[in-house]
Amino acid sequence: MSFSFTNPESNRDDRSFSFTASDPADIDRQLQTITDMATEILRLVADVRRQINT
């Protein structure tokens, strides 16, 4: 996964992000992907915490 705000690289996979695109729909899609990934990370962290505390 890669993130670029000023020097976009070619997409290596569907989780590469560049915020220099001029199409707002593309940016919205990328932000939704980031949100989904963050939600999954938080869910996994909660699972690990539950396992540690039991």
Side-chain angles (χ1 to χ4, degrees), residues 5-36:
F5 291 92
T6 57
N7 295 320
E9 298 176 12
S10 60
N11 287 343
R12 292 183 215 149
D13 62 27
D14 64 341
R15 297 179 300 169
S16 293
F17 301 96
S18 170
F19 291 95
T20 58
S22 60
D23 185 1
D26 286 343
I27 293 173
D28 286 344
R29 180 186 53 78
Q30 291 175 345
L31 290 173
Q32 184 60 53
T33 300
I34 293 169
T35 300
D36 294 345

Side-chain angles (χ1 to χ4, degrees), residues 26-50:
D26 286 343
I27 293 173
D28 286 344
R29 180 186 53 78
Q30 291 175 345
L31 290 173
Q32 184 60 53
T33 300
I34 293 169
T35 300
D36 294 345
M37 292 168 62
T39 300
E40 179 65 9
I41 290 167
L42 292 173
R43 186 190 67 74
L44 292 170
V45 168
D47 287 347
V48 169
R49 285 184 175 164
R50 275 192 296 274

